[in-house]
Amino acid sequence: MPDQGPPSPKMTARHLAVRYGGKLALKDVDLDIAAGRVTALIGPSGCGKSTFLRCLNRMNDTIPGASVTGEVTLDGEPVYGQGGLDPVLLRARVGMVFQRPNPFPKTIYDNVAFGPRLMGLCREGADMDAVVQSSLESAGLWNEVKDRLGTKGTGLSGGQQQRLCIARAIAVGPEVILMDEPCSALDPIATAKIEELIDSLRDHYTIVIVTHSMQQAARVSQITAFFHLGAIIEVGATEQVFTAPAKELTQGYITGRFG
Amino acid sequence: MTIGEQHIVKSYDVELGKLGDALARMGGLAETQLASAIQALENRDGELAGEVVGGDSRIDSLDTFINEQAIKVLALRAPVADDLRTVVTALKIAGEVERIGDLAANVAKRSLVLNQLPPVAQTRSVSRLGRLSLAMVKDVLDAYLGGDAERALVVRDRDQELDEIHSALFREILTYMMEDPRTITPCSHLLFIAKNLERIGDHATNIAEMTHFRITGKALSEERIKCDTTASLTGMPGHDEL
Ligand SMILES: Nc1ncnc2c1ncn2[C@@H]1O[C@H](COP(=O)(O)OP(=O)(O)O)[C@@H](O)[C@H]1O
Ligand SMILES: [Mg+2]
């Protein structure tokens, strides 16, 4: 291995295609997800961003009629097919945060402890307390909720709920975090806090974020992939894509000449 | 999908259009100012020179307008890609054109002084230099407004020729001054005028590089070869502040 060069990809997708029933939603997509970076997926509604994201942790398996072909790897190991990773273990390594904050109707503590309990990661008591605290700290929520861990997670503000969901994802010790429009239900301040959080999480996790906001993609990501009609049109350094995109289609989309 | 094609939000095109129009007007004014300054120099036409000196403020106010308009578009539209390059280069090019206007006004000012002194033969050579720099300014502004990166590169290449002619002319005037000390005063004004005209070529070159960046998205990295050897001849700074 040479000392320098681009970081090795944390995940790869090759010839990835997804059908819903007869409809081809993703066609022959190749993409590397760089380790320790934030990759933003942008493109018009319905172009397949969420579909692609769900392929990375086999969430499409749960959608009736969805079929996935092609290859996805995590640290070089196949995600699909024979010898593929167990979906439950995969989802612990590749966590997901959704568009609408969706805490369970449980206490803040139990929301965060949910995954570790399910997976038997640690014992109740001091060990679990430590996991809950460090996850909430990583999600930038600890100071706001440390005095009310026993209250319902659903009682928090939208932005706090979303950070609770991020804490919940972090609690099981993932390597990759997928975020599907995590700020679309949030106000600008709550959005800024999530963006700041994404930036700080980058040191420990590989992040893939779907966003409708060009400015958000520009602010939080180092790599941007532009999807159009189920295909990847352009992938590049975010700075490059937003100052001098290589493809006219990308330029047309990000400058607001078509949508 | 590129420069000039319409946005979904129509008012965005209007805002970008204002920027382009102002830059076109500003460029046209600077061209006229420079052409008049050269003509005033050549014909010892004090009235025309006075108009040039007085006309510079119109370029300045367009520069101010472009600055405000560009900042407004940056703040309100958060432009990206070619739109971003259009706004940023408009801002920078306006600065270059403003400098060209200043230099043209300075040429006119010095021509007024020259009119009080006996004529010098080299004035004709200096005004030829002026017409070369004027042609560069005209071509580069056409390249910018026409979105023609190739044409911009051609202008950039011509700057070297301008530098060489300037250096040769500089030597010629210097020799003349040494031969006949009575010409020292008019000739030194002529030297500064020549220097101004050479600087205008540099500004045209900067505009050429920004035009290229605006259109292609690629910055021209390699340094141009400067052929200005006048500083070593006289010990005068190569780029004097005037
Ligand atoms: N569960 C589903 N069943 C059927 N079609 C779907 C489903 N999810 C997405 N699609 C279709 O697949 C295409 C891509 O959708 P999606 O990945 O959600 O796009 P994006 O996230 O870019 O808006 C769309 O045409 C959408 O209608
Ligand atoms: Mg989606």
Side-chain angles (χ1 to χ4, degrees):
Chain A
M1 274 280 280
D3 291 342
Q4 276 156 348
S8 58
K10 182 70 185 174
M11 299 192 77
T12 65
R14 292 291 177 273
H15 304 297
L16 194 62
V18 178
R19 276 168 208 283
Y20 296 107
K23 188 173 182 297
L24 194 58
L26 208 62
K27 37 193 172 193
D28 201 30
V29 165
D30 287 359
L31 185 64
D32 286 354
I33 305 296
R37 304 286 164 86
V38 179
T39 301
L41 312 182
I42 61 170
S45 278
C47 68
K49 304 178 295 293
S50 297
T51 299
F52 176 82
L53 203 67
R54 287 196 297 263
C55 288
L56 298 179
N57 71 347
R58 298 189 61 162
M59 294 283 282
N60 284 322
D61 292 13
T62 61
I63 296 176
S67 80
V68 179
T69 59
E71 291 159 32
V72 175
T73 66
L74 173 62
D75 285 339
E77 295 177 77
V79 163
Y80 287 93
Q82 287 210 322
L85 291 161
D86 172 64
V88 176
L89 290 177
L90 172 68
R91 282 174 212 145
R93 292 176 66 187
V94 183
M96 185 122 174
V97 175
F98 297 90
Q99 181 169 2
R100 308 203 137 271
N102 57 346
F104 305 126
K106 293 168 180 284
T107 65
I108 292 170
Y109 187 100
D110 287 344
N111 262 281
V112 182
F114 182 85
R117 278 177 186 148
L118 190 73
M119 311 209 39
L121 293 182
C122 66
R123 283 182 311 205
E124 294 297 329
D127 285 358
M128 189 63 83
D129 290 351
V131 167
V132 169
Q133 177 168 348
S134 76
S135 303
L136 286 168
E137 278 170 353
S138 298
L141 193 58
W142 175 249
N143 285 333
E144 289 161 61
V145 301
K146 61 177 184 240
D147 300 323
R148 47 169 167 155
L149 294 175
T151 62
K152 284 262 162 46
T154 45
L156 297 170
S157 73
Q160 288 172 326
Q161 287 188 24
Q162 195 59 300
R163 281 181 281 145
L164 178 61
C165 293
I166 292 172
R168 191 174 67 191
I170 289 171
V172 295
E175 297 152 47
V176 181
I177 303 175
L178 311 176
M179 302 184 175
D180 197 346
E181 298 182 32
C183 302
S184 61
L186 306 183
D187 66 43
I189 298 295
T191 297
K193 285 184 183 163
I194 300 281
E195 289 181 2
E196 164 57 23
L197 176 58
I198 290 170
D199 210 44
S200 69
L201 292 175
R202 178 155 69 91
D203 294 339
H204 303 285
Y205 308 94
T206 297
I207 296 171
V208 187
I209 177 171
V210 169
T211 173
H212 260 132
S213 156
M214 297 307 121
Q215 293 309 313
Q216 181 165 70
R219 287 191 299 258
V220 303
S221 72
Q222 291 78 52
I223 295 153
T224 296
F226 171 58
F227 283 68
H228 185 59
L229 299 174
I232 287 199
I233 304 299
E234 180 167 355
V235 189
T238 297
E239 202 182 297
Q240 181 70 27
V241 170
F242 283 93
T243 53
K247 298 282 163 53
E248 295 235 322
L249 213 51
T250 314
Q251 178 147 291
Y253 179 69
I254 65 175
T255 58
R257 291 183 177 100
F258 85 93
Chain B
M1 230 61 90
T2 45
I3 295 168
E5 281 186 52
Q6 291 189 344
H7 291 82
I8 299 166
V9 180
K10 301 244 176 358
S11 57
Y12 191 1
D13 287 322
V14 174
E15 299 287 337
L16 288 172
K18 281 187 198 165
L19 209 50
D21 290 349
L23 201 56
R25 262 189 295 142
M26 190 181 179
L29 270 178
E31 258 179 71
T32 309
Q33 288 279 93
L34 180 56
S36 301
I38 295 163
Q39 205 186 326
L41 171 73
E42 221 167 8
N43 301 340
R44 295 172 75 86
D45 183 342
E47 198 180 324
L48 186 57
E51 280 172 25
V52 172
V53 173
D56 191 42
S57 59
R58 282 193 296 160
I59 294 183
D60 292 345
S61 58
L62 277 167
D63 182 40
T64 307
F65 173 80
I66 288 170
N67 282 322
E68 289 167 359
Q69 182 66 16
I71 286 166
K72 184 170 145 190
V73 174
L74 286 169
L76 302 184
R77 308 280 177 181
V80 292
D82 60 332
D83 293 334
L84 176 64
R85 302 199 305 270
T86 294
V87 176
V88 171
T89 57
L91 200 60
K92 297 190 77 173
I93 289 174
E96 300 289 337
V97 174
E98 191 270 329
R99 286 298 296 150
I100 291 173
D102 283 350
L103 292 165
N106 190 273
V107 168
K109 243 181 244 168
R110 287 183 187 275
S111 79
L112 285 170
V113 181
L114 282 176
N115 290 351
Q116 312 303 315
L117 301 163
V120 187
Q122 277 74 16
T123 306
R124 197 156 298 281
S125 309
V126 173
S127 66
R128 257 201 303 280
L129 184 75
R131 276 193 294 274
L132 269 180
S133 67
L134 174 63
M136 279 178 73
V137 170
K138 191 177 166 349
D139 284 355
V140 81
L141 290 171
D142 286 350
Y144 181 81
L145 296 168
D148 189 340
E150 282 305 308
R151 190 164 174 196
L153 286 184
V154 172
V155 175
R156 180 178 185 254
D157 289 341
R158 275 184 9 223
D159 190 46
Q160 200 176 327
E161 187 193 339
L162 191 75
D163 289 347
E164 282 163 8
I165 294 172
H166 171 254
S167 295
L169 187 57
F170 194 94
R171 272 175 212 149
E172 188 188 322
I173 297 172
L174 218 57
T175 312
Y176 193 70
M177 286 161 86
M178 289 189 289
E179 281 170 2
D180 183 356
R182 282 169 307 171
T183 65
I184 285 179
T185 306
C187 278
S188 49
H189 284 290
L190 218 45
L191 283 178
F192 277 111
I193 289 174
K195 187 73 210 169
N196 284 348
L197 297 169
E198 186 271 330
R199 294 288 314 270
I200 286 173
D202 293 342
H203 291 295
T205 301
N206 293 342
I207 297 174
E209 290 175 357
M210 282 174 243
T211 297
H212 184 270
F213 174 67
R214 180 205 180 198
I215 296 160
T216 65
K218 291 183 192 75
L220 291 163
S221 51
E222 117 241 38
E223 270 294 304
R224 281 177 312 124
I225 320 126
K226 280 295 297 181
C227 287
D228 187 347
T229 54
T230 55
S232 61
L233 262 177
T234 59
M236 269 169 67
H239 287 173
D240 16 56
E241 279 311 314
L242 300 169

